[in-house]
Amino acid sequence: MQDNGAKQAEVRTQFPPVIGAELSRVDGPVKTTGRAQYAADYNFPGLVYAVPVCATISNGKIRAMDTAAAEKMPGVVAVLHHDNIGPIYRPSSGHMNEDRQPFEDNNVYYWGQFVAVAVGKTLQQAQAAAAAVRVTYDEDKPNVSTKLDDAGVETQTRSKRGDVSAGFSGAPVKVDETYATPTEMHNPMEMHATTAVWDGNRVTLYESSQGVVGYQHTLSQVLGVSKENMRVVSRFIGSGFGSKLSPWPQSALAGAAARKVNRPVKLMVTRKMMFCDTGHRPRTQQNVRIGATPDGKLVSLEQHYRNSTSFVGNYHENCGEATPFIYTTPNLEVTSALVKRNIGTPCPMRGPGAVPGLFAVESAMDELAWKLKMDPVELRLKNDTLIDESNGKPFSSRHLKECLQVGADKFGWSQRNPEVGSMRRGDTVLGWGMAAASWGAWRGGCQATVTLKADGTASVRCAAQDPGTGTYTIFAQIVSDKTGLPVDKIEVLLGDTDFVPGGTSGGSTLTATVMPAIADASNGAVQMVLAMATRPGAPFEGKKPSDLMMNGGHVHLKANPGENPVPMQEVLRAAKVSYASADGRSGALGSDTKARDYSTHSFGAQFIEVEWRPNIAQLRVSRVVSVMDAGRIINLKTGTNQIQGGVVMGIGMALFEQAIYDPRNGHPINDNFADYIVATNADVPAIEVHFLGIPDPIMGEYGARGIGEIGLAGVAPAITNAVYHATGVRVRELPVSIEDLLRSTVV
Ligand code: MOS
């Protein structure tokens, strides 16, 4: 195990069983019994339904809009558009996904863009009215081309060291290939929705949001109210995968429509609309050039990538997220460029940048291994580094090497015959592929409130949210760790801007972000209880609070913990108070002087077997071993589940997922679950997940990094590398198609 300077830092090594336990989700029962309220589940007296009218061109202008027939239909409250919806402002700070507000002007930039909204007393009446709005357009030719070769686009250097042209031209072994990943849709189970309720000049938005604090900050400006006058509630979320990090037009429209018609308004984005109006992972095209010595040392590494974006956004897919530091090389250059297309605006999607970026880099590494006739695991081990060469800092905790070794061992990699098409199980050809994974590790600033109550229970709350990852459960585990109360005695309240500000569920940062604040608040509340325990008439009268400790929900004498423990609730009752409550804080990694000297990232290795049946051209992923170096794992059950979910998404990315736009009009023609294929149970084998579990001392007391995204990293290239091993077909553009596989000469 590597030291990485971590030894000097203080890190806890003893944890009570609640940390790292395989705990079921504390929010499981309310979800599975249908009691969890999602954004579109809120109902209020007089509530009406808003249904957007979607553009049927992807480039041009609205010439005319005829709403007369729609307005006369039964139950129709209003048909709202540019002229009558009232103010929708651009925010001066914060983040909207689009740099334009809905209905700002008569321009249409993508198919499905909201051009009007029908408001009706029932959903069906609103849908009928929306369908009856007649819009005519002046249509220009759309550009939805999948070739991102446009001339004249600005190129930006993202990372650079040494001299790549000298390094590459002088290298004895070279790989120079272009890889592409398609437009991919987040497809969360729960669609984006807003229920907007005004009370005078105060508005509450029930949202499906991965960041209620950010939504409040941005949307208060959009609707022109003070932050104090906007509450955003997002108690339960049916996932988001990044599409709910920042608000989309539907939030602004629901809020503005509710103000205009003076009634609560519910606006739910349909799955069809989701394909246009709430983001996607943009298409990427990436040229990777690697120069190496015959014994497999990288001499130079280049990644020149482009991603598509819309005409109303400048979203950059950071494909070089991991490239500058994943391997050692003296010469490196990463450049990016944006290419505009008439499709909806992209945004982060699970492992943004790193996931498509690693598809390219880890495919190129595999191609290099074949050229070198070197084992691909060995090639990666040979180029491992404990210094982030992009900035010269040591990694806080990097164990890619151990991931590769553990993965190879668990998978049985030593049994691999490297020859294409050489491994068989009956009529089935087996392909074994692998890839490295990486994703950043960060910690933001936030607050939390912990309350210890006279009924023997506790609560913890802050304005964070749980997109389905296990955040509710982690909250309870930290309070339990600090108080010894069992998790079922701890109520967790999230997803409401009325609570102290919490973090965003994004970038796999929330666990590391909230834990110090919850620990701090728990410690504060415990200190209050200990102080009460020493008051006159209290169970520990005459002692000092510093003589006491809380453990197992009881107050004890530190010197003699087993003797006469007093339940917390008795201490509170003796003090005649109903609860002791304290706020705690987390500091962002960026303002942590100790952290500044380190580069913080998670790592992993994916080992995958595919089965190829040449007689019927059938390909299937048959085995996955995923090894993760993501710091200490707080909850083994929800943590394993996160990695498995990432792998499932990676199978979809490699084999199925892509949004296809009709070149004639920009319509995403597979805008539904029948035609946009995601991996389902039949496509997914058992997924073996191993965590190294080595605490990262720089991330905080618990040494945990986030795990929401890294499980997806490296999966697609491990699959295409396995496909090459089975079939001899190198797929450089995802997803793998049957047409690709029919080029196989393996029979
Ligand atoms: Mo993640 S793309 O930050 O939800």
Side-chain angles (χ1 to χ4, degrees):
M1 203 168 298
Q2 298 303 325
D3 173 16
N4 288 4
K7 250 182 208 155
Q8 299 94 311
E10 269 182 56
V11 61
R12 282 177 70 185
T13 50
Q14 294 300 309
F15 288 85
V18 72
I19 300 300
E22 263 187 295
L23 275 186
S24 292
R25 287 155 202 272
V26 297
D27 49 325
V30 292
K31 283 185 168 177
T32 50
T33 55
R35 284 176 290 148
Q37 273 192 298
Y38 295 79
D41 290 336
Y42 289 87
N43 282 306
F44 297 94
L47 180 137
V48 291
Y49 297 83
V51 171
V53 177
C54 296
T56 54
I57 64 166
S58 67
N59 187 22
K61 286 185 188 305
I62 300 166
R63 188 194 307 149
M65 191 180 296
D66 180 0
T67 60
E71 281 164 0
K72 288 192 207 84
M73 289 169 70
V76 173
V77 176
V79 178
L80 302 173
H81 44 78
H82 171 80
D83 297 335
N84 63 358
I85 193 163
I88 302 177
Y89 303 100
R90 293 187 181 196
S92 61
S93 66
H95 188 253
M96 294 285 291
N97 288 295
E98 300 196 339
D99 61 14
R100 160 192 193 271
Q101 292 301 347
F103 306 176
E104 265 191 10
D105 50 39
N106 62 356
N107 294 327
V108 175
Y109 299 98
Y110 56 86
W111 181 280
Q113 181 183 315
F114 298 153
V115 295
V117 61
V119 183
K121 287 184 179 160
T122 68
L123 175 62
Q124 292 73 16
Q125 288 168 330
Q127 284 170 331
V133 174
R134 294 280 159 258
V135 189
T136 51
Y137 300 94
D138 293 318
E139 189 177 359
D140 294 324
K141 198 177 155 37
N143 182 354
V144 296
S145 171
T146 55
K147 290 274 167 274
L148 304 185
D149 298 324
D150 307 30
V153 296
E154 190 195 339
T155 298
Q156 282 190 38
T157 301
R158 297 278 162 186
S159 188
K160 191 170 163 52
R161 61 179 181 261
D163 180 344
V164 283
S165 49
F168 185 74
S169 61
V173 186
K174 296 184 175 79
V175 171
D176 182 355
E177 297 292 350
T178 296
Y179 304 87
T181 62
T183 301
E184 294 164 1
M185 292 293 158
H186 301 82
N187 268 316
M189 209 185 294
E190 179 208 14
M191 291 290 78
H192 299 66
T194 307
T195 303
V197 188
W198 287 86
D199 177 10
N201 61 357
R202 200 178 142 75
V203 62
T204 302
L205 300 179
Y206 298 88
E207 279 282 353
S208 188
S209 165
Q210 292 176 240
V212 291
V213 173
Y215 269 51
Q216 178 196 38
H217 176 75
T218 304
L219 289 170
S220 57
Q221 300 170 70
V222 169
L223 294 176
V225 299
S226 67
K227 213 193 263 193
E228 297 69 36
N229 279 336
M230 171 169 288
R231 180 180 173 206
V232 177
V233 177
S234 202
R235 293 293 175 121
F236 295 96
I237 305 156
S239 197
F241 301 123
S243 68
K244 298 169 180 174
L245 290 168
S246 312
W248 292 101
Q250 116 272 338
S251 303
L253 289 178
R259 172 156 56 192
K260 180 71 189 179
V261 303
N262 200 23
R263 294 203 197 194
V265 163
K266 186 183 294 190
L267 194 166
M268 189 156 185
V269 171
T270 63
R271 189 144 316 258
K272 225 174 175 47
M273 292 174 193
M274 182 215 75
F275 277 80
C276 305
D277 301 289
T278 56
H280 57 262
R281 194 200 298 281
R283 186 173 182 86
T284 73
Q285 186 172 301
Q286 309 175 50
N287 175 227
V288 179
R289 287 151 52 103
I290 306 180
T293 62
D295 66 342
K297 288 295 278 185
L298 299 197
V299 178
S300 71
L301 173 57
E302 288 167 78
Q303 184 187 23
H304 305 288
Y305 64 87
R306 294 174 161 209
N307 71 263
S308 62
T309 188
S310 77
F311 286 91
V312 290
N314 282 305
Y315 176 72
H316 160 233
E317 181 78 10
N318 184 20
C319 294
E321 197 268 344
T323 314
F325 57 80
I326 191 158
Y327 300 117
T328 176
T329 180
N331 305 302
L332 177 133
E333 188 172 60
V334 178
T335 67
S336 70
L338 299 182
V339 175
K340 298 272 184 182
R341 290 291 179 265
N342 290 110
I343 59 178
T345 304
C347 72
M349 177 168 149
R350 203 174 198 175
V355 164
L358 284 167
F359 167 67
V361 170
E362 288 299 288
S363 293
M365 284 294 279
D366 198 65
E367 299 207 48
L368 177 64
W370 284 94
K371 282 200 171 167
L372 294 166
K373 297 193 175 17
M374 181 183 271
D375 183 275
V377 177
E378 195 194 328
L379 174 64
R380 284 157 176 94
L381 289 172
K382 194 151 207 165
N383 291 285
D384 189 31
T385 172
L386 296 177
I387 302 291
D388 178 342
E389 293 178 358
S390 73
N391 55 26
K393 294 177 185 178
F395 293 102
S396 57
S397 176
R398 164 163 165 151
H399 301 281
L400 174 59
K401 188 172 108 187
E402 290 86 340
C403 291
L404 292 163
Q405 289 166 337
V406 170
D409 183 46
K410 303 274 180 197
F411 190 83
W413 190 257
S414 63
Q415 303 302 306
R416 181 175 182 261
N417 179 339
E419 206 174 310
V420 166
S422 63
M423 294 178 70
R424 305 240 167 190
R425 191 187 291 139
D427 284 347
T428 300
V429 183
L430 302 181
W432 285 10
M434 56 76 55
S438 175
W439 179 247
W442 297 285
R443 189 180 78 218
C446 85
Q447 299 176 45
T449 306
V450 169
T451 305
L452 302 175
K453 301 180 187 177
D455 64 0
T457 68
S459 74
V460 51
R461 59 187 184 274
C462 78
Q465 49 292 307
D466 184 341
T469 49
T471 303
Y472 270 103
T473 313
I474 299 267
F475 268 55
Q477 285 178 270
I478 304 303
V479 177
S480 176
D481 178 39
K482 291 296 182 191
T483 61
L485 290 167
V487 290
D488 62 8
K489 293 264 190 258
I490 300 160
E491 182 189 25
V492 184
L493 296 161
L494 302 176
D496 189 332
T497 53
D498 276 359
F499 304 148
V500 293
T504 296
S505 300
S508 304
T509 60
L510 191 65
T511 295
T513 297
V514 297
M515 281 193 307
I518 297 169
D520 187 28
S522 300
N523 288 337
V526 165
Q527 285 308 316
M528 292 171 78
V529 171
L530 299 185
M532 287 174 203
T534 61
R535 285 181 189 171
F540 295 93
E541 181 179 353
K543 301 286 177 194
K544 294 196 294 289
S546 57
D547 296 332
L548 306 178
M549 60 183 274
M550 192 157 140
N551 198 342
H554 289 66
V555 176
H556 306 250
L557 269 177
K558 265 185 200 165
N560 206 349
E563 197 180 277
N564 297 330
V566 180
M568 166 192 90
Q569 55 269 42
E570 263 180 46
V571 173
L572 289 165
R573 282 189 215 132
K576 300 188 169 40
V577 300
S578 71
Y579 60 82
S581 189
D583 283 351
R585 278 176 187 279
S586 299
L589 210 56
S591 52
D592 180 337
T593 48
K594 194 171 66 168
R596 272 183 215 151
D597 299 333
Y598 295 94
S599 186
T600 52
H601 300 270
S602 285
F603 294 91
Q606 311 281 11
F607 287 79
I608 290 181
E609 178 187 86
V610 297
E611 292 177 349
W612 165 238
R613 295 186 182 84
N615 299 342
I616 55 169
Q618 188 194 50
L619 184 81
R620 205 175 167 270
V621 173
S622 45
R623 206 151 62 84
V624 179
V625 173
S626 181
V627 185
M628 293 290 137
D629 166 29
R632 177 174 297 282
I633 301 307
I634 303 301
N635 185 332
L636 194 56
K637 191 176 210 171
T638 55
T640 300
N641 179 243
Q642 280 301 295
I643 302 305
Q644 289 173 330
V647 171
V648 172
M649 208 175 215
I651 293 172
M653 177 182 176
L655 302 183
F656 309 118
E657 295 196 40
Q658 63 174 326
I660 299 166
Y661 297 86
D662 188 330
R664 296 169 303 176
N665 55 21
H667 173 211
I669 53 175
N670 58 342
D671 56 356
N672 57 75
F673 266 156
D675 299 313
Y676 183 98
I677 313 296
V678 297
T680 60
N681 284 357
D683 307 302
V684 179
I687 298 164
E688 207 179 307
V689 176
H690 300 276
F691 290 111
L692 298 185
I694 301 164
D696 184 331
I698 297 304
M699 291 305 288
E701 176 189 2
Y702 292 91
R705 299 195 293 250
I707 45 173
E709 289 162 283
I710 189 165
L712 173 53
V715 175
I719 292 172
T720 51
N721 296 343
V723 165
Y724 183 80
H725 181 226
T727 66
V729 176
R730 176 61 65 181
V731 179
R732 300 191 183 93
E733 179 171 350
L734 294 181
V736 176
S737 67
I738 289 181
E739 291 84 341
D740 291 325
L741 298 172
L742 289 175
R743 301 199 325 258
S744 175
T745 53
V746 174
V747 289

